[in-house]
C-alpha cells in the first residue's frame, strides 16, 4: 500500500500538483491537511468540520489523553490508518534518540493488535 501525506498550506497550485503526484506515484491513500478547497465525492473523506487539525505545543498529559482517545477509536475499527505529525522522536523510526513523546506514542501503539509502524 502506498501512502502519501501532504500539507498543502491552502495553496491552489499545490492542490493541483497533488492530483498529478497521486496519479504518477500510484498512491492508494493520501492524507492531507490545510487543503485549498474541500471536494465532495466518494474518494474524499473528512471530519465533520471539513478542516485538517494540527495539534502542537500541548502538554505531555494532553498528548497522552489524545493518544488514549485515538487508540480507543482505532481499536473499534479494522483496518485503520493513523497518520499525523506527533512531534515524537523514536529510534524505531530513525531518530537519534527517543524522547518522552516517542515513548508515549510507542506505548499507545503497542495497545493496538496488528499495528504496523510505517515511517520513511
Amino acid at each position: 500500500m502506498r501512502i502519501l501525506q501532504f500539507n498543502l498550506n491552502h495553496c491552489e497550485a499545490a492542490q493541483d500538483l497533488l492530483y498529478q503526484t497521486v496519479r504518477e506515484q500510484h498512491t492508494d491513500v493520501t492524507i492531507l491537511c490545510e487543503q485549498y478547497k474541500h471536494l465532495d465525492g466518494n474518494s474524499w473523506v473528512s471530519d465533520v468540520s471539513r478542516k485538517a487539525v494540527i495539534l502542537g505545543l500541548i502538554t505531555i498529559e494532553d498528548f497522552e489523553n489524545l493518544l488514549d482517545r485515538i487508540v480507543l477509536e482505532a481499536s473499534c475499527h479494522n483496518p485503520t490508518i493513523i497518520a499525523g505529525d506527533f512531534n515524537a522522536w523514536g529510534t524505531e523510526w530513525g531518530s537519534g534518540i527517543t524522547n518522552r513523546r516517542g515513548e508515549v506514542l510507542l506505548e499507545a501503539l503497542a495497545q493496538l493488535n496488528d499495528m504496523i509502524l510505517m515511517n520513511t
Side-chain angles (χ1 to χ4, degrees):
M1 179 181 288
R2 295 188 56 86
I3 301 171
L4 294 176
Q5 181 178 2
F6 292 98
N7 180 329
L8 299 176
N9 199 27
H10 307 290
C11 177
E12 182 178 16
Q15 189 158 335
D16 290 341
L17 288 172
L18 163 76
Y19 301 120
Q20 177 181 348
T21 302
V22 167
R23 281 191 306 272
E24 289 176 357
Q25 297 294 319
H26 306 288
T27 302
D28 297 307
V29 176
T30 304
I31 301 156
L32 302 174
C33 64
E34 297 185 359
Q35 68 270 19
Y36 173 71
K37 62 181 174 181
H38 180 81
L39 302 176
D40 291 317
N42 293 333
S43 62
W44 185 282
V45 180
S46 66
D47 65 353
V48 177
S49 70
R50 301 176 87 164
K51 294 189 253 181
V53 177
I54 299 172
L55 301 172
L57 302 175
I58 60 174
T59 67
I60 195 67
E61 292 81 15
D62 290 339
F63 185 64
E64 289 172 340
N65 290 333
L66 169 66
L67 289 176
D68 287 344
R69 292 192 310 272
I70 290 172
V71 166
L72 179 62
E73 183 68 23
S75 65
C76 298
H77 305 282
N78 190 8
T80 301
I81 296 173
I82 300 172
D85 183 349
F86 294 99
N87 290 325
W89 297 0
T91 56
E92 288 81 350
W93 51 84
S95 300
I97 62 167
T98 300
N99 66 4
R100 181 67 185 130
R101 282 178 174 267
E103 292 170 359
V104 169
L105 181 58
L106 286 168
E107 290 168 7
L109 295 178
Q111 298 175 52
L112 297 169
N113 296 329
D114 300 325
M115 179 59 66
I116 298 170
L117 176 65
M118 296 176 13
N119 190 17
T120 56

